[in-house]
């Protein structure tokens, strides 16, 4: 059984991703390209939520580090998504420190919104977002909620993995994601979200 709330598509991608990463660690460049293709859309969406228009540059820096340190990675496909998100977040925070600006939320691109994500709250909220409207809504979330939503929905990490990326307890990240999605859903008029529980966001057993 997969992690709570994850659709089969995400699990399938993780199997493919894990196999590609293993081959890439053995020097298969085509397999690294497969891993990049699977991970990059979510990673880029997450970075847009932190550094805005500089996301492409930060993602490039992150992928250089990912490629350089690939031999040190140990884990499966889901683990690789978490590991790459952690590297991307560090590069993003370095970028912001250099610019001496506060992290800012940016629009979720439509190709990111089309990525598979957990069911229920996530799908209902995201299906109602347009790129322009997402900019205003996500920007209005507190930073902890915005990052939790981006990691859980856009990158597709489970609660513990998102918590490791953010350096927080899983319960705190789960609650932040729930509150952020609930706020977005209420603004979008998605009534059933108010009946959801934070546990529906999924937690590894």
């Amino acid at each position: 059984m997969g992690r709570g709330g994850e659709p089969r598509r995400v699990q399938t991608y993780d199997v493919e991703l894990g196999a590609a990463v293993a081959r890439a660690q053995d020097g298969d460049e085509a397999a690294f390209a497969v891993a990049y293709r699977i991970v990059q859309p979510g990673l880029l969406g997450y970075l847009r939520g932190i550094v805005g228009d500089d996301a492409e540059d930060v993602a490039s820096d992150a992928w250089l580090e990912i490629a350089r340190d690939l031999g040190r990675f140990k884990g499966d496909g889901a683990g690789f998504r978490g590991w790459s998100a952690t590297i991307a977040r560090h590069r993003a925070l370095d970028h912001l420190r250099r610019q001496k600006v506060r992290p800012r939320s940016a629009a979720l691109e439509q190709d990111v919104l089309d990525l598979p994500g957990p069911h229920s709250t996530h799908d209902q909220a995201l299906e109602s977002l347009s790129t322009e409207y997402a900019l205003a809504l996500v920007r209005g979330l507190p930073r902890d909620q915005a990052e939790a939503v981006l990691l859980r929905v856009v990158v597709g990490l489970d609660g513990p993995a998102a918590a490791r990326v953010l350096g927080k307890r899983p319960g705190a990240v789960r609650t932040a994601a729930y509150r952020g999605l609930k706020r977005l859903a209420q603004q979008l008029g998605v009534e059933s979200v108010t009946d959801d529980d934070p546990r529906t966001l999924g937690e590894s057993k």
Side-chain angles (χ1 to χ4, degrees):
M1 180 175 290
R3 288 176 297 281
E6 279 196 330
R8 290 175 183 170
R9 284 183 300 172
V10 172
Q11 296 172 28
T12 301
Y13 282 150
D14 278 347
V15 171
E16 181 184 356
L17 177 58
V21 170
R23 292 196 308 274
Q25 288 180 311
D26 288 334
D28 186 334
E29 292 184 10
F32 186 82
V34 170
Y36 173 88
R37 190 171 65 247
I38 293 172
V39 173
Q40 171 68 354
L43 207 61
L44 193 58
Y46 171 61
L47 289 171
R48 282 194 179 106
I50 303 176
V51 301
D53 293 339
D54 295 326
E56 296 269 4
D57 292 339
V58 174
S60 294
D61 290 343
W63 279 104
L64 286 173
E65 184 173 342
I66 290 166
R68 184 194 71 199
D69 295 342
L70 185 62
R72 300 179 190 174
F73 170 73
K74 293 185 182 359
D76 57 8
F80 184 78
R81 280 192 290 125
W83 182 69
S84 59
T86 299
I87 290 174
R89 184 172 193 261
H90 289 161
R91 296 289 69 76
L93 295 179
D94 286 346
H95 176 80
L96 292 169
R97 276 192 290 271
R98 286 194 300 270
Q99 287 195 326
K100 296 185 179 179
V101 296
R102 294 171 61 87
R104 61 190 184 277
S105 294
L108 301 177
E109 297 289 330
Q110 190 60 46
D111 60 345
V112 173
L113 298 181
D114 290 339
L115 289 174
H119 292 307
S120 184
T121 303
H122 304 75
D123 289 343
Q124 291 172 25
L126 289 178
E127 282 172 4
S128 303
L129 290 175
S130 68
T131 301
E132 184 177 351
Y133 197 31
L135 174 60
L137 293 179
V138 176
R139 182 181 289 145
L141 292 176
R143 184 184 166 196
D144 66 326
Q145 294 180 16
E147 275 206 87
V149 168
L150 289 165
L151 285 172
R152 297 286 284 110
V153 180
V154 179
V155 181
L157 301 183
D158 67 9
R164 285 192 293 273
V165 172
L166 296 174
K168 297 182 177 180
R169 292 178 295 103
V173 174
R174 185 176 65 245
T175 299
Y178 169 71
R179 288 177 177 165
L181 287 167
K182 184 175 180 180
R183 175 182 280 188
L184 290 175
Q186 287 173 336
Q187 292 173 1
L188 294 165
V190 180
E191 298 297 334
S192 63
V193 173
T194 59
D195 297 326
D196 283 350
D197 182 274
R199 286 172 296 183
T200 63
L201 293 178
E203 197 73 36
S204 293
K205 302 294 184 189

